[in-house]
Amino acid sequence: MAYASKKEEESGLSSYYNNKTTIIQEARVFNDSPISPRKCRALLTRIVYLLYIGETFGAQEATTLFFGTTKLFQHKDSALRQMVYLAIKELATTAEDVIMVTSSIMKDMQPNSEVIYRPNAIRALCRIIDPSMAQGVERFFKAAIVDRTPSISSAALVSSYHLFPLAKDVVKRWVNEAQEAVSAKSSSSFFAGSSSGGYLNFGSSGSSNSGYQPIPSTSYITQYHALGLLYLIRQQDRMAVTKMIQQLGGGRGGGGSTLKNSMALCMLIRYAAKVMEEDPNMQKQILEMLEGWLRHKSDMVNFEAARAICEMKNVNASQLTKAIAVLQIFLSSPKSVLKFSATRTLAALALTHPAAVASCNVDLENLIADQNRSVATYAITTLLKTGNEASVDRLMKQITGFMSEISDEFKVIIVDAIRSLCIKFPTKHVSMLAFLSGVLRDEGGYDFKRAVVEAMFDMIKFIADCKEQALSHLCEFIEDCEFTKLSVRILHLLGLEGPKAPQPTKYIRFIYNRVVLENATVRAAAVASLAKFGVNAVDDGLRRSIGVLLNRCLDDVDDEVRDRAAMYLKVMKETPLADAYVKEESVFSLAALESKLVAYVNDVDARAQPFDASSIPKISRAQLAAESTRPSTLDLIAAPATKRASASPPPPTAAETQSAYLQQFAEISHFAEYGAILNSSAKPAQLTESETEYQVTCVKHIFKEHAVFQFNVSNTLPDTVLEQVVVVMQPQADSGLTEDVVFQIDSLTCSNSPGIVYVSFKRDNPQEYTTTSFQCILKFISKELDPSTGRPEEEGYEDEYQLEDVELSAGGDYIIPSYASFSSEWDRLRSGATATETFSLGAMESIKAACDSIIELLNMEPLGGTETPNSPSVHTLQLSGLVIGGGKVLVRCRMTFSRGQGVTLELGVRAEHEGACALVVSVVGG
């Protein structure tokens, strides 16, 4: 079935023929006597076609067609009956009272019915029944799963797969039958029978099935479907999945596997790779199985095993040898699909192991001239990552030859590969910049142009020798740029880098042209860029010229452009304003700003006071750019992520996490009295091993007078329910904390996990920063679930589970990293609280190790790149942060290193409040 062509859609006859109203009127043919199989088949085909292209039938229309279709059950024409089941299956989701045809469908599921009817009947029944009826048809499905006819067995397995989300407990009982289907030594084929109508019985009146003799199948497709169902049933039990892989994998070499179907083996390899990723202890055993599958007779299995090895975590060069050898053989295959899959996998692997992939360079160079441009693109991309400096110019010439022959998607891959190569071989920037400037003038979409512009941005940032030339190329590009976003970004860059150039005046003409010729968005960006030239100008004449240009912008038709021009004219006249609005290098952390604003808006009492921004941490503009920058297109296309990674949703941002915490607290009235959350843990702390039956993580929330511990508890046992779940916390003696309230989980099952237990402590002295550790025990009542009813048994038993200790520490809970201009802030805090202490860190083996330890301990922001020492013997580390309730704090760590004595540290602290200063000194002093 295919979409109608444009020519057919334009035809009035075709639109009438496939019109919904016409089809409903023609449904009268279902009531004719005698029934015409040909007319009914044609009408049913049109109904299914309309559903396929997105047409919808109302409930009444679908019901009329559905029950009209069921009248054709009595006819013996095999092809018509198959079409009836297809239409019933598609209409069942919309029509009403569909359950009434259950008995008719189940009649065709009987073992004595025609083989050709039974698979269709099973698929249709899966769509008709509701979850409460699943137990009533269990006997039929069990028998069908182990049937010798592949079409019947596969239909039952796939239908069971679709039934699983609706009736998990019932389908789980079919595990033995699924195991039998996946382990069958031989199965039967659908292509046999004694009916006189042949394979589909077209035009026949049907015949009995008594003479049916199934013949062995060579596809073993039933194993593929059975394996999928087995994994679905067992996926929550890692030990069962591991055992299944070991049984079906055929031992150490993978050669004795009972699986004969290539797709089933590929699926088993993916399950094995997932187990290996989750449990590193299984890596060695599964790697041996994967290496055995590299020698399988099926190319599909060879490739899947090779890809699984290439995507392993922490894989080394020796483990990659056999997989790369298989992919290298594929590179010389006459089949395009094998060449494409091999080059794509090698391109991804070259990002992390370029030396290992370099052995394939000769074969990859032969593919540059391949007729399939997708293969050629990936070959060049891989060569750009694995080649040496001498081969760059030769590769650039070959790339230029076919850039015009490939799509924008593959152009982006090439450009991003060159972008990485620029940083790797900066001495070759001349040829690469010439190539980028050339393709920038070519035709292309936004994604392609953005990739080229970002490549030039990187060259400007990392290669000082090409900065001036690259800026000139970008100036020429914005003269004829059709993409507003790119023009704005380039103008912003010109405002940052242009004033630092030897001749800044040559860029002003290009910028002012945008004020005259472009739309309002670009004009506003151009005004901001001009202002940066004016503020940073050394020459008074240039400053006056910029002022004249900005004065002309005061007459602009757009209010944003006029407002910016007026503001920047004022800023240029007053140095303090220029420092605050143009030269300031720090900005608010957007995630922290959002969470504080949400808390401010939701707190009725807080809204009576002006919003206080002093407690919001600041970050550098470079950090902001790193947080907001989308992943490189190279990572998304040239180095495709695994299916396992793409199937999972992206992790929530810090702002989304904070918003979720606020929403959870809003649902508990007791916490409303605590006020705003001052700080929450950046990420949950794991208190149990990942493979345990009960998994617990902890998030700490600090309030003005309270500390709340949020325990996320997950129950991984599908046949057990936990009731009255609570965490008992025992702090150290004289901790200064008093338990306030505990909120337990009433009932926790595998399906509603995770649940949340809250334990709140009151801080006896809110002015002090209490640090302590807690012993934690998970307590609950365990009850078994009745498999027949799905309800917990009346009697259970009390149980407890020891958790890891929870620490309330200074760095992780009271100090928030915040960017600052160190020299100016250090001078400003001269009159505040200060402290200087000297420490001997004899266990430290280097200054770098000491820097890493101090940053981790204090959880503060390193400034000016001081986290990376330039000298192995002497270094100064500068740190900045905010102490909740204690304001700004800066730390200066002067360190010297000598062998045998370790690191000697002079710790200097300046803060706005004495308590914050004492807190930092106490953390380092232990």
Side-chain angles (χ1 to χ4, degrees), residues 696-926:
V696 183
T697 61
C698 179
V699 179
K700 292 165 282 186
H701 306 281
I702 307 299
F703 293 82
K704 183 177 181 181
E705 297 180 355
H706 296 81
V708 177
F709 299 86
Q710 172 185 328
F711 295 93
N712 305 311
V713 186
S714 295
N715 173 17
T716 63
L717 300 177
D719 54 354
T720 303
V721 61
L722 309 182
E723 295 184 349
Q724 300 177 29
V725 183
V726 69
V727 177
V728 178
M729 300 183 69
Q730 183 62 45
Q732 293 175 336
D734 301 326
S735 63
L737 296 171
T738 304
E739 188 174 290
D740 180 28
V741 67
V742 178
F743 291 96
Q744 68 178 19
I745 303 172
D746 296 329
S747 178
L748 184 67
T749 63
C750 183
S751 58
N752 68 359
S753 292
I756 299 177
V757 174
Y758 289 106
V759 182
S760 173
F761 284 86
K762 183 176 177 62
R763 296 162 62 189
D764 297 342
N765 187 351
Q767 303 304 319
E768 294 182 357
Y769 299 100
T770 304
T771 58
T772 186
S773 64
F774 300 80
Q775 293 182 347
C776 301
I777 300 175
L778 178 70
K779 291 191 174 183
F780 51 86
I781 297 175
S782 179
K783 294 183 178 181
E784 298 292 326
L785 285 174
D786 188 337
S788 58
T789 62
R791 295 180 179 178
E793 298 176 353
E794 293 185 4
E795 295 186 0
Y797 61 91
E798 293 186 2
D799 198 359
E800 62 182 42
Y801 193 87
Q802 185 70 43
L803 305 177
E804 297 285 339
D805 289 357
V806 173
E807 298 281 343
L808 191 62
S809 60
D813 301 311
Y814 297 116
I815 301 177
I816 305 170
S818 178
Y819 181 84
S821 176
F822 188 83
S823 56
S824 59
E825 284 292 308
W826 185 260
D827 292 338
R828 185 180 71 83
L829 294 174
R830 185 189 302 274
S831 59
T834 62
T836 303
E837 295 283 347
T838 302
F839 301 94
S840 177
L841 310 178
M844 294 296 169
E845 297 179 352
S846 66
I847 287 182
K848 179 69 170 77
C851 289
D852 294 341
S853 298
I854 294 170
I855 293 170
E856 183 180 1
L857 192 64
L858 293 177
N859 189 37
M860 297 178 72
E861 182 73 32
L863 303 176
T866 56
E867 69 273 18
T868 305
N870 295 322
S871 168
S873 56
V874 180
H875 182 62
T876 300
L877 173 66
Q878 299 171 348
L879 301 172
S880 170
L882 288 175
V883 176
I884 57 174
K888 194 78 177 176
V889 60
L890 295 181
V891 174
R892 183 179 65 190
C893 305
R894 291 174 172 169
M895 292 175 277
T896 61
F897 174 75
S898 60
R899 293 193 179 277
Q901 296 183 357
V903 175
T904 302
L905 167 67
E906 182 194 82
L907 181 74
V909 184
R910 291 185 181 180
E912 294 178 348
H913 298 280
E914 190 67 42
C917 193
L919 175 68
V920 173
V921 174
S922 66
V923 172
V924 178

Side-chain angles (χ1 to χ4, degrees), residues 651-664:
T653 63
E656 291 170 342
T657 304
Q658 293 292 334
S659 298
Y661 293 151
L662 290 171
Q663 185 176 357
Q664 290 166 357

Side-chain angles (χ1 to χ4, degrees), residues 23-41:
I23 286 175
I24 294 173
Q25 291 174 349
E26 291 182 7
R28 292 190 300 266
V29 300
F30 298 150
N31 301 321
D32 289 350
S33 183
I35 289 174
S36 170
R38 185 182 62 81
K39 289 182 179 179
C40 292
R41 282 201 307 266

Side-chain angles (χ1 to χ4, degrees), residues 277-498:
E277 182 181 7
E278 295 173 351
D279 185 4
N281 296 326
M282 292 294 298
Q283 185 174 35
K284 182 178 179 182
Q285 183 179 350
I286 292 179
L287 179 61
E288 291 176 350
M289 295 172 62
L290 292 174
E291 289 178 345
W293 283 319
L294 290 174
R295 299 186 294 271
H296 196 271
K297 61 183 179 182
S298 169
D299 291 336
M300 186 192 308
V301 177
N302 298 155
F303 170 70
E304 196 66 41
R307 189 177 69 167
I309 293 173
C310 292
E311 292 173 355
M312 279 170 48
K313 285 184 178 178
N314 304 320
V315 63
N316 56 49
S318 61
Q319 292 170 330
L320 287 169
T321 305
K322 294 180 180 178
I324 291 176
V326 170
L327 295 175
Q328 190 170 6
I329 294 172
F330 285 174
L331 293 177
S332 56
S333 170
K335 298 178 182 177
S336 293
V337 67
L338 290 180
K339 289 187 288 188
F340 177 79
S341 57
T343 52
R344 194 166 186 256
T345 305
L346 289 171
L349 185 61
L351 285 173
T352 53
H353 296 82
V357 180
S359 60
C360 302
N361 281 2
V362 175
D363 299 279
L364 288 167
E365 287 194 21
N366 294 333
L367 294 177
I368 293 177
D370 194 89
Q371 292 181 345
N372 188 317
R373 283 312 188 195
S374 302
V375 173
T377 302
Y378 277 120
I380 284 186
T381 304
T382 310
L383 286 168
L384 287 173
K385 298 168 194 168
T386 60
N388 52 36
E389 194 168 359
S391 63
V392 170
D393 292 330
R394 175 166 49 84
L395 286 173
M396 297 300 292
K397 290 179 182 177
Q398 291 175 306
I399 293 170
T400 308
F402 76 95
M403 280 294 284
S404 59
E405 302 175 18
I406 59 177
S407 64
D408 275 8
E409 181 183 4
F410 287 109
K411 287 179 182 178
V412 169
I413 296 174
I414 296 292
V415 170
D416 276 337
I418 292 172
R419 176 182 174 184
S420 303
L421 202 65
C422 294
I423 313 303
K424 187 176 180 182
F425 302 123
T427 57
K428 295 292 183 180
H429 70 267
V430 176
S431 60
M432 287 184 275
L433 186 59
F435 170 79
L436 291 174
S437 63
V439 297
L440 199 57
R441 292 189 289 269
D442 294 342
E443 293 294 324
Y446 171 74
D447 288 332
F448 169 53
K449 297 291 187 180
R450 179 175 66 88
V452 179
V453 169
E454 286 181 350
M456 287 189 168
F457 281 10
D458 278 0
M459 294 184 74
I460 292 170
K461 182 177 180 180
F462 297 109
I463 307 173
D465 293 342
C466 71
K467 180 182 293 186
E468 198 168 345
Q469 189 179 0
L471 287 175
S472 299
H473 288 310
L474 291 174
C475 286
E476 293 173 7
F477 173 63
I478 59 173
E479 288 288 304
D480 189 26
C481 178
E482 56 184 311
F483 303 110
T484 299
K485 287 183 179 180
L486 292 182
S487 295
V488 170
R489 290 191 61 190
I490 293 170
L491 287 167
H492 176 71
L493 182 72
L494 287 172
L496 293 177
E497 301 293 342

Side-chain angles (χ1 to χ4, degrees), residues 634-695:
L634 181 65
D635 298 333
L636 299 177
I637 303 174
T642 65
K643 280 199 172 183
R644 295 185 297 279
S646 63
S648 61
T653 63
E656 291 170 342
T657 304
Q658 293 292 334
S659 298
Y661 293 151
L662 290 171
Q663 185 176 357
Q664 290 166 357
F665 278 110
E667 297 172 357
I668 302 175
S669 58
H670 183 84
F671 291 145
E673 305 169 359
Y674 289 6
I677 301 176
L678 301 180
N679 189 30
S680 294
S681 305
K683 60 181 181 180
Q686 191 78 32
L687 303 184
T688 57
E689 298 292 336
S690 58
E691 63 271 4
T692 54
E693 300 166 345
Y694 315 115
Q695 297 178 8

